[in-house]
Amino acid sequence: MQSAPHAHLHVVDPVAGESVVRLGPGTLITLGRAPTNDIVLHDERASRVHAEIRAGDGGWIIRDLQSRNGTTVNAEPVTGDRPLAPGDTVSIGMVRVSFGTGDPPTGVGTAIVTNTGTIAGDMPADAAAWKASITHRRARSSLLDDISQSAGSVPRVGRAAAELCRLAFALASASAASAIARRALDSVLEGTAATRGLVLLATRPGDAAHDLLTAETLMLTASTPDPWPAPLPVGVAATVLATNEAALAAGGTKANEPAATLAAPIRCAGRPVGVMHLEVESGGGDATPDDLEFVMAVCDAVGVAIENLTAREALSTRLANAADENERLRRRLGEETCMVGASPALQGILGQMQRVAATKATVLVRGESGAGKELIARAIHESSDRHAGAFVCLNCAALSETLLESELFGHEKGAFTGATERKIGKFEAAHRGTLMLDEIGEMSPAIQAKFLRVLEGHPFERVGGSGRVQVDVRVVAATNRDLEKAVAAGGFRRDLYFRLKVVEILVPPLRRRVDDIEPLAEHFLGRFAAETGRKICGFTPAALEAMRAYQWPGNIRELRNVVERAVVLSQEEWIDVQDVSLSHLAVPGDTDKSGVARSGPFVPMTIEEVERRHVLATLEAVGANKTKAAAILGIERSTLDRKLAKWARA
């Protein structure tokens, strides 16, 4: 085989400058970002070991080593072995490498040193010398793999284990990375032949993203002596980061050089985030592989301590944020649950609430929709000895029978289609707290029976399960239905009715608490003005009079919405009567026998006249479709025709 001619590479690196690498027979040159390469590329688009140039059959060949961003020669991608000819330009990121034969260009040194101490296009000088003197390498420490056996035969291992145990307790209480590094460095200096050393750490060692970590980005975190008198061992640190291995190296022969050095990576989640560097002075003892094992074990403990410290800091931040959020929610909840008003009816309700809150009695809250039943239930919970527990609310009218049973009692995995995992019900969620069931009158008879057993203190089973669940829950039920009529009609269990009606609180509608309208309106005005940033002075006398005269069929909920709309849309500092949008709905129960709201005073009429008006109104509503009207009225089509003919003749 014909030998490859002598050649050279002219490296132009925008970061490190220019350099020349001579190629001799049998030379293998690697190019990459790692400091262990023969040509170090200072470009993040370069892989750690990016490409290689070697002598081939009568020439020189370049091969891309499956790099992330590829290699080009004269702008053509390199695939497989690509021969090099004089004048070819290899491009890797922003780095250009020109291949030539004969004498290299003049005026370019064989090594150009940068301000970081690294050599452009070549291995750092201190790293090269140190790497050549390495006598032992370790990828991981086996010091504590089988401490029970090794400690008996090697007393030094037992002492090392004791020191590691003391170190673990000290690191666990450290509150900063600098304290961790200081304690670890003291420990290795006491447990090895090293006489001085330092710890280099990343700026944020707990971060998981260290792809761009280099020796130059490490910070001196702890050193002995302090301050460190010599230049930082950047080349040694770069080698340790690149190999992720610890090494023991023999020292130099000069008087000021250490007799031996030890260096080990500090790793978080298996990735290096720092380096511990130790030096042994001449005459101070011999560094052994056992020292290297001990240093690695300490560095591993430091990595775990840094991970724990980062986790504690993150948890502390989340807890502080959660505490602030809880405080804001508590303030808002206090605004939501405060009872505003001065009417005698409200004062009577407050007295009942105070008396019942101190007991375990079941409470039935009755009143129209929007009158504040949930507010009363929450206030009872907050005033009771269960206030530290959960307050859980469920609307029984919003769910089907199957879903309501699952929501109340929970279900096991696979209990029904869609039950992909186990779920606890509202009863379990409200254990040692309060469960508010709104619209209790809409609960089906089957659920009522199971619900009654739980109210009486019996355990229950989740849907699809066989385990018995016992809970301690106070129930506050609410309804706007006439439960007495429901019991008489058979739609509500009589025994459940009496079990719920231990303490009954009747919430009068807002139209019967006229004295509460103005305080409530002022309360909502202040709240929504603060939320929207509007400067609203208050209500005009005309607006207040209109609100006092209004019947409020939607009760407090409607008043709240009316005030919010007025705050948002009002263009003046005072909310006037035209800003208060009031509906024309009839109040609940204000209907005639046909269910149609009255628009004037009651007019007595015969049953036949009521029937005629109702039939004609139904026929008009369905567009004169007699078949459809007859179906709605529940009569035959022929019967409808006879009635219409009779009324037409009259």
Side-chain angles (χ1 to χ4, degrees):
M1 182 179 78
Q2 184 180 359
S3 62
H6 290 283
H8 65 269
L9 300 173
H10 180 201
V11 182
V12 180
D13 189 323
V15 176
E18 297 182 67
S19 63
V20 171
V21 177
R22 294 182 180 274
L23 303 177
T27 303
L28 173 65
I29 300 294
T30 60
L31 303 89
R33 184 161 47 90
T36 51
N37 289 283
D38 299 293
I39 299 178
V40 180
L41 307 177
H42 299 81
D43 193 309
E44 295 303 330
R45 284 168 290 188
S47 299
R48 287 189 169 273
V49 183
H50 195 101
E52 68 178 17
I53 297 175
R54 58 182 174 84
D57 188 8
W60 294 91
I61 295 172
I62 184 170
R63 172 184 291 177
D64 184 85
L65 300 178
Q66 298 181 347
S67 64
R68 183 174 66 250
N69 295 312
T71 306
T72 63
V73 175
N74 301 331
E76 296 181 359
V78 174
T79 58
D81 291 342
R82 204 278 192 189
L84 291 174
D88 284 348
T89 300
V90 178
S91 299
I92 300 175
M94 296 296 293
V95 180
R96 301 291 181 265
V97 181
S98 300
F99 175 78
T101 57
D103 294 331
T106 60
V108 180
T110 57
I112 300 177
V113 182
T114 66
N115 58 357
T116 61
T118 60
I119 300 175
D122 205 349
M123 184 182 300
D126 59 343
W130 182 76
K131 183 177 179 181
S133 63
I134 291 176
T135 59
H136 297 83
R137 288 180 180 271
R138 293 288 189 276
R140 59 181 296 271
S141 173
S142 58
L143 179 62
L144 300 180
D145 283 352
D146 197 351
I147 189 65
S148 60
Q149 295 181 9
S150 58
S153 58
V154 185
R156 186 174 183 179
V157 175
R159 292 194 299 271
E163 178 60 28
L164 286 174
C165 184
R166 288 192 295 270
L167 177 64
F169 281 101
L171 296 183
S173 60
S175 59
S178 58
I180 293 175
R182 178 75 267 166
R183 183 62 183 87
L185 184 59
D186 292 342
S187 182
V188 295
L189 291 177
E190 182 179 348
T192 66
T195 53
R196 67 177 189 172
L198 53 82
V199 176
L200 302 171
L201 284 177
T203 305
R204 297 179 60 85
D207 283 348
H210 296 295
D211 291 336
L212 304 181
L213 183 65
T214 63
E216 290 78 8
T217 61
L218 297 179
M219 295 179 58
L220 179 60
T221 308
S223 68
T224 298
D226 188 12
W228 184 255
L232 296 179
V234 177
V236 175
T239 303
V240 172
L241 292 178
T243 61
N244 199 15
E245 291 180 340
L248 168 62
T253 58
K254 297 180 181 179
N256 60 344
E257 290 183 343
T261 58
L262 302 96
I266 298 171
R267 293 175 283 214
C268 289
R271 307 177 69 178
V273 298
V275 174
M276 179 178 286
H277 174 79
L278 303 168
E279 297 180 355
V280 181
E281 293 181 349
S282 300
D286 296 329
T288 67
D290 287 341
D291 289 332
L292 187 62
E293 290 277 359
F294 179 69
V295 172
M296 286 203 70
V298 170
C299 288
D300 290 342
V302 170
V304 173
I306 289 175
E307 287 182 345
N308 293 338
L309 177 62
T310 304
R312 291 202 304 269
E313 290 176 348
L315 180 60
S316 177
T317 300
R318 288 197 295 268
L319 288 176
N321 292 337
D324 291 341
E325 181 66 18
N326 286 340
E327 182 61 28
R328 289 194 296 268
L329 290 176
R330 286 185 181 277
R331 288 197 299 266
R332 185 168 182 178
L333 182 61
E335 295 176 359
E336 293 281 355
T337 57
C338 65
M339 307 292 288
V340 178
S343 65
L346 180 60
Q347 297 307 312
I349 293 174
L350 292 175
Q352 284 183 286
M353 289 167 46
Q354 291 174 356
R355 290 190 294 272
V356 75
T359 70
K360 298 182 179 180
T362 303
V363 181
L364 178 62
V365 184
R366 303 178 68 169
E368 295 179 2
S369 178
K373 297 187 293 296
E374 182 178 346
L375 183 66
I376 290 175
R378 186 179 292 275
I380 292 174
H381 169 75
E382 293 294 336
S383 302
S384 70
D385 56 0
R386 297 173 177 264
H387 64 275
F391 176 80
V392 181
C393 185
L394 178 64
N395 190 330
C396 300
L399 302 170
S400 64
E401 179 178 331
T402 303
L403 289 178
L404 179 59
E405 183 179 13
S406 173
E407 285 294 318
L408 280 174
F409 308 111
H411 63 254
E412 299 289 346
K413 181 179 180 180
F416 50 82
T417 302
T420 57
E421 59 184 12
R422 179 181 178 183
K423 176 184 176 182
I424 66 170
K426 300 301 184 185
F427 267 107
E428 288 182 81
H431 181 56
R432 295 182 179 175
T434 303
L435 174 62
M436 189 239 177
L437 296 177
D438 200 5
E439 305 295 348
I440 190 71
E442 307 298 328
M443 187 180 290
S444 68
I447 305 297
Q448 290 178 28
K450 191 171 183 179
F451 176 54
L452 177 60
R453 285 188 55 81
V454 180
L455 276 182
E456 292 175 343
H458 297 284
F460 62 89
E461 298 175 357
R462 300 186 188 94
V463 178
S466 57
R468 300 172 70 82
V469 181
Q470 184 73 53
V471 293
D472 175 19
V473 175
R474 179 185 198 162
V475 173
V476 177
T479 183
N480 60 3
R481 291 188 57 186
D482 190 335
L483 291 184
E484 289 77 10
K485 288 185 178 179
V487 170
F492 200 81
R493 293 179 63 99
R494 183 180 298 271
D495 47 3
L496 177 58
Y497 168 77
F498 288 113
R499 183 64 182 82
L500 289 174
K501 196 178 177 181
V502 177
V503 176
E504 184 179 46
I505 297 179
L506 298 176
V507 185
L510 186 57
R511 60 183 175 276
R512 298 181 186 172
R513 298 157 44 196
V514 179
D515 293 341
D516 293 338
I517 293 176
E518 184 174 346
L520 283 168
E522 295 289 351
H523 169 74
F524 291 133
L525 175 63
R527 174 181 168 184
F528 293 127
E531 289 181 1
T532 59
R534 296 289 309 278
K535 183 180 180 181
I536 305 294
C537 298
F539 298 94
T540 64
L544 290 175
E545 183 60 32
M547 288 190 291
R548 290 176 63 90
Y550 183 58
Q551 293 296 298
W552 299 107
N555 291 291
I556 299 176
R557 183 184 294 119
E558 182 184 5
L559 174 60
R560 176 186 182 277
N561 295 338
V562 165
V563 175
E564 182 177 12
R565 179 184 182 278
V567 170
V568 172
L569 299 181
S570 176
Q571 298 180 356
E572 305 294 337
E573 293 185 351
W574 291 87
I575 295 178
D576 205 351
V577 65
Q578 66 268 17
D579 300 317
V580 180
S581 178
L582 304 176
S583 71
H584 300 287
L585 293 175
V587 297
D590 190 15
T591 58
D592 60 24
K593 298 298 182 180
S594 65
V596 180
R598 297 198 304 263
S599 58
F602 175 73
V603 179
M605 63 184 69
T606 64
I607 294 297
E608 183 177 2
E609 178 62 19
V610 171
E611 180 187 26
R612 186 183 73 83
R613 293 188 178 187
H614 182 66
V615 170
L616 293 177
T618 303
L619 190 61
E620 181 181 358
V622 298
N625 188 325
K626 294 182 180 180
T627 302
K628 190 172 183 179
I632 294 174
L633 293 169
I635 59 178
E636 296 292 336
R637 166 67 183 272
S638 57
T639 303
L640 177 59
D641 289 335
R642 287 197 300 272
K643 290 181 179 291
L644 292 175
K646 174 184 176 183
W647 294 330
R649 290 194 301 270

mmCIF file of all heavy atoms in Angstrom, residues 581-606:
data_model
loop_
_atom_site.group_PDB
_atom_site.id
_atom_site.type_symbol
_atom_site.label_atom_id
_atom_site.label_comp_id
_atom_site.label_asym_id
_atom_site.label_seq_id
_atom_site.Cartn_x
_atom_site.Cartn_y
_atom_site.Cartn_z
ATOM 1 N N SER A 581 -80.968 47.395 34.291
ATOM 2 C CA SER A 581 -81.816 46.634 33.372
ATOM 3 C C SER A 581 -82.616 45.610 34.168
ATOM 4 O O SER A 581 -82.061 44.623 34.672
ATOM 5 C CB SER A 581 -80.943 45.935 32.324
ATOM 6 O OG SER A 581 -81.730 45.170 31.453
ATOM 7 N N LEU A 582 -83.924 45.848 34.275
ATOM 8 C CA LEU A 582 -84.811 44.964 35.029
ATOM 9 C C LEU A 582 -85.734 44.223 34.065
ATOM 10 O O LEU A 582 -86.214 44.790 33.086
ATOM 11 C CB LEU A 582 -85.634 45.761 36.037
ATOM 12 C CG LEU A 582 -84.808 46.596 37.030
ATOM 13 C CD1 LEU A 582 -85.731 47.415 37.920
ATOM 14 C CD2 LEU A 582 -83.918 45.689 37.869
ATOM 15 N N SER A 583 -85.967 42.935 34.347
ATOM 16 C CA SER A 583 -86.782 42.104 33.455
ATOM 17 C C SER A 583 -88.263 42.308 33.756
ATOM 18 O O SER A 583 -88.649 42.990 34.705
ATOM 19 C CB SER A 583 -86.406 40.632 33.631
ATOM 20 O OG SER A 583 -86.876 40.161 34.892
ATOM 21 N N HIS A 584 -89.093 41.662 32.933
ATOM 22 C CA HIS A 584 -90.550 41.708 33.117
ATOM 23 C C HIS A 584 -91.099 40.331 33.457
ATOM 24 O O HIS A 584 -92.278 40.062 33.241
ATOM 25 C CB HIS A 584 -91.218 42.240 31.846
ATOM 26 C CG HIS A 584 -90.769 43.626 31.477
ATOM 27 N ND1 HIS A 584 -91.167 44.745 32.170
ATOM 28 C CD2 HIS A 584 -89.930 44.058 30.505
ATOM 29 C CE1 HIS A 584 -90.623 45.824 31.632
ATOM 30 N NE2 HIS A 584 -89.855 45.436 30.616
ATOM 31 N N LEU A 585 -90.243 39.459 33.974
ATOM 32 C CA LEU A 585 -90.697 38.117 34.338
ATOM 33 C C LEU A 585 -91.572 38.181 35.582
ATOM 34 O O LEU A 585 -91.368 39.016 36.464
ATOM 35 C CB LEU A 585 -89.494 37.206 34.613
ATOM 36 C CG LEU A 585 -88.597 36.864 33.412
ATOM 37 C CD1 LEU A 585 -87.400 36.058 33.888
ATOM 38 C CD2 LEU A 585 -89.382 36.083 32.366
ATOM 39 N N ALA A 586 -92.523 37.246 35.629
ATOM 40 C CA ALA A 586 -93.352 37.141 36.827
ATOM 41 C C ALA A 586 -92.563 36.435 37.915
ATOM 42 O O ALA A 586 -91.682 35.621 37.646
ATOM 43 C CB ALA A 586 -94.627 36.358 36.511
ATOM 44 N N VAL A 587 -92.874 36.767 39.160
ATOM 45 C CA VAL A 587 -92.188 36.116 40.264
ATOM 46 C C VAL A 587 -92.697 34.692 40.398
ATOM 47 O O VAL A 587 -93.809 34.376 39.951
ATOM 48 C CB VAL A 587 -92.424 36.894 41.578
ATOM 49 C CG1 VAL A 587 -91.835 38.275 41.479
ATOM 50 C CG2 VAL A 587 -93.915 36.956 41.919
ATOM 51 N N PRO A 588 -91.911 33.771 40.973
ATOM 52 C CA PRO A 588 -92.357 32.387 41.120
ATOM 53 C C PRO A 588 -93.675 32.305 41.872
ATOM 54 O O PRO A 588 -93.876 32.956 42.892
ATOM 55 C CB PRO A 588 -91.217 31.738 41.923
ATOM 56 C CG PRO A 588 -90.022 32.577 41.620
ATOM 57 C CD PRO A 588 -90.541 33.974 41.457
ATOM 58 N N GLY A 589 -94.600 31.494 41.334
ATOM 59 C CA GLY A 589 -95.915 31.312 41.945
ATOM 60 C C GLY A 589 -96.937 32.327 41.513
ATOM 61 O O GLY A 589 -98.122 32.179 41.804
ATOM 62 N N ASP A 590 -96.532 33.382 40.795
ATOM 63 C CA ASP A 590 -97.467 34.428 40.365
ATOM 64 C C ASP A 590 -98.033 34.074 38.996
ATOM 65 O O ASP A 590 -97.796 34.722 37.997
ATOM 66 C CB ASP A 590 -96.746 35.767 40.306
ATOM 67 C CG ASP A 590 -97.738 36.918 40.094
ATOM 68 O OD1 ASP A 590 -98.940 36.683 40.291
ATOM 69 O OD2 ASP A 590 -97.278 38.018 39.732
ATOM 70 N N THR A 591 -98.784 32.973 38.920
ATOM 71 C CA THR A 591 -99.374 32.488 37.667
ATOM 72 C C THR A 591 -100.824 32.154 37.879
ATOM 73 O O THR A 591 -101.276 31.904 38.994
ATOM 74 C CB THR A 591 -98.649 31.238 37.167
ATOM 75 O OG1 THR A 591 -98.714 30.228 38.185
ATOM 76 C CG2 THR A 591 -97.185 31.537 36.857
ATOM 77 N N ASP A 592 -101.583 32.128 36.736
ATOM 78 C CA ASP A 592 -102.983 31.735 36.839
ATOM 79 C C ASP A 592 -103.079 30.228 36.690
ATOM 80 O O ASP A 592 -102.094 29.519 36.607
ATOM 81 C CB ASP A 592 -103.841 32.472 35.804
ATOM 82 C CG ASP A 592 -103.391 32.186 34.386
ATOM 83 O OD1 ASP A 592 -102.760 31.127 34.182
ATOM 84 O OD2 ASP A 592 -103.664 33.009 33.492
ATOM 85 N N LYS A 593 -104.288 29.700 36.655
ATOM 86 C CA LYS A 593 -104.503 28.261 36.645
ATOM 87 C C LYS A 593 -103.943 27.597 35.400
ATOM 88 O O LYS A 593 -103.656 26.410 35.402
ATOM 89 C CB LYS A 593 -106.006 27.951 36.771
ATOM 90 C CG LYS A 593 -106.622 28.443 38.069
ATOM 91 C CD LYS A 593 -106.003 27.796 39.275
ATOM 92 C CE LYS A 593 -106.656 28.239 40.574
ATOM 93 N NZ LYS A 593 -106.044 27.615 41.741
ATOM 94 N N SER A 594 -103.843 28.318 34.329
ATOM 95 C CA SER A 594 -103.328 27.734 33.092
ATOM 96 C C SER A 594 -101.818 27.749 33.048
ATOM 97 O O SER A 594 -101.223 27.239 32.115
ATOM 98 C CB SER A 594 -103.865 28.505 31.877
ATOM 99 O OG SER A 594 -103.374 29.828 31.891
ATOM 100 N N GLY A 595 -101.175 28.320 34.061
ATOM 101 C CA GLY A 595 -99.724 28.398 34.070
ATOM 102 C C GLY A 595 -99.194 29.600 33.340
ATOM 103 O O GLY A 595 -98.001 29.794 33.235
ATOM 104 N N VAL A 596 -100.059 30.474 32.816
ATOM 105 C CA VAL A 596 -99.632 31.668 32.091
ATOM 106 C C VAL A 596 -99.531 32.823 33.074
ATOM 107 O O VAL A 596 -100.420 33.048 33.885
ATOM 108 C CB VAL A 596 -100.622 32.000 30.949
ATOM 109 C CG1 VAL A 596 -100.167 33.230 30.204
ATOM 110 C CG2 VAL A 596 -100.765 30.813 30.023
ATOM 111 N N ALA A 597 -98.437 33.557 33.017
ATOM 112 C CA ALA A 597 -98.226 34.661 33.959
ATOM 113 C C ALA A 597 -99.299 35.721 33.776
ATOM 114 O O ALA A 597 -99.673 36.056 32.659
ATOM 115 C CB ALA A 597 -96.839 35.260 33.746
ATOM 116 N N ARG A 598 -99.767 36.269 34.897
ATOM 117 C CA ARG A 598 -100.769 37.324 34.825
ATOM 118 C C ARG A 598 -100.112 38.650 34.516
ATOM 119 O O ARG A 598 -99.032 38.953 35.003
ATOM 120 C CB ARG A 598 -101.503 37.441 36.166
ATOM 121 C CG ARG A 598 -102.288 36.213 36.547
ATOM 122 C CD ARG A 598 -103.295 36.570 37.625
ATOM 123 N NE ARG A 598 -102.663 37.161 38.782
ATOM 124 C CZ ARG A 598 -102.345 36.486 39.876
ATOM 125 N NH1 ARG A 598 -102.569 35.191 39.938
ATOM 126 N NH2 ARG A 598 -101.795 37.104 40.901
ATOM 127 N N SER A 599 -100.753 39.433 33.708
ATOM 128 C CA SER A 599 -100.248 40.766 33.396
ATOM 129 C C SER A 599 -101.121 41.851 34.009
ATOM 130 O O SER A 599 -100.851 43.020 33.830
ATOM 131 C CB SER A 599 -100.190 40.968 31.869
ATOM 132 O OG SER A 599 -101.495 40.773 31.318
ATOM 133 N N GLY A 600 -102.183 41.492 34.712
ATOM 134 C CA GLY A 600 -103.067 42.467 35.327
ATOM 135 C C GLY A 600 -103.802 41.845 36.488
ATOM 136 O O GLY A 600 -103.517 40.718 36.888
ATOM 137 N N PRO A 601 -104.781 42.532 37.057
ATOM 138 C CA PRO A 601 -105.540 41.992 38.185
ATOM 139 C C PRO A 601 -106.339 40.770 37.759
ATOM 140 O O PRO A 601 -106.705 40.604 36.602
ATOM 141 C CB PRO A 601 -106.445 43.157 38.591
ATOM 142 C CG PRO A 601 -106.535 44.007 37.376
ATOM 143 C CD PRO A 601 -105.236 43.874 36.671
ATOM 144 N N PHE A 602 -106.630 39.905 38.738
ATOM 145 C CA PHE A 602 -107.356 38.675 38.461
ATOM 146 C C PHE A 602 -108.793 38.976 38.044
ATOM 147 O O PHE A 602 -109.478 39.791 38.663
ATOM 148 C CB PHE A 602 -107.354 37.789 39.716
ATOM 149 C CG PHE A 602 -108.174 36.540 39.562
ATOM 150 C CD1 PHE A 602 -107.715 35.504 38.766
ATOM 151 C CD2 PHE A 602 -109.401 36.408 40.201
ATOM 152 C CE1 PHE A 602 -108.472 34.351 38.630
ATOM 153 C CE2 PHE A 602 -110.147 35.257 40.061
ATOM 154 C CZ PHE A 602 -109.685 34.221 39.280
ATOM 155 N N VAL A 603 -109.226 38.271 36.955
ATOM 156 C CA VAL A 603 -110.596 38.413 36.448
ATOM 157 C C VAL A 603 -111.303 37.082 36.605
ATOM 158 O O VAL A 603 -110.907 36.093 35.969
ATOM 159 C CB VAL A 603 -110.600 38.847 34.969
ATOM 160 C CG1 VAL A 603 -112.040 38.953 34.464
ATOM 161 C CG2 VAL A 603 -109.858 40.166 34.788
ATOM 162 N N PRO A 604 -112.328 36.978 37.431
ATOM 163 C CA PRO A 604 -113.038 35.698 37.593
ATOM 164 C C PRO A 604 -113.684 35.268 36.277
ATOM 165 O O PRO A 604 -114.184 36.093 35.510
ATOM 166 C CB PRO A 604 -114.087 36.006 38.655
ATOM 167 C CG PRO A 604 -113.584 37.233 39.355
ATOM 168 C CD PRO A 604 -112.868 38.022 38.328
ATOM 169 N N MET A 605 -113.660 33.967 35.996
ATOM 170 C CA MET A 605 -114.278 33.427 34.789
ATOM 171 C C MET A 605 -114.627 31.972 35.027
ATOM 172 O O MET A 605 -114.142 31.336 35.960
ATOM 173 C CB MET A 605 -113.342 33.573 33.589
ATOM 174 C CG MET A 605 -112.039 32.811 33.696
ATOM 175 S SD MET A 605 -110.930 33.108 32.303
ATOM 176 C CE MET A 605 -110.481 34.808 32.605
ATOM 177 N N THR A 606 -115.501 31.436 34.166
ATOM 178 C CA THR A 606 -115.965 30.060 34.298
ATOM 179 C C THR A 606 -114.885 29.091 33.820
ATOM 180 O O THR A 606 -113.945 29.456 33.101
ATOM 181 C CB THR A 606 -117.232 29.833 33.463
ATOM 182 O OG1 THR A 606 -116.906 30.016 32.082
ATOM 183 C CG2 THR A 606 -118.332 30.809 33.863
#
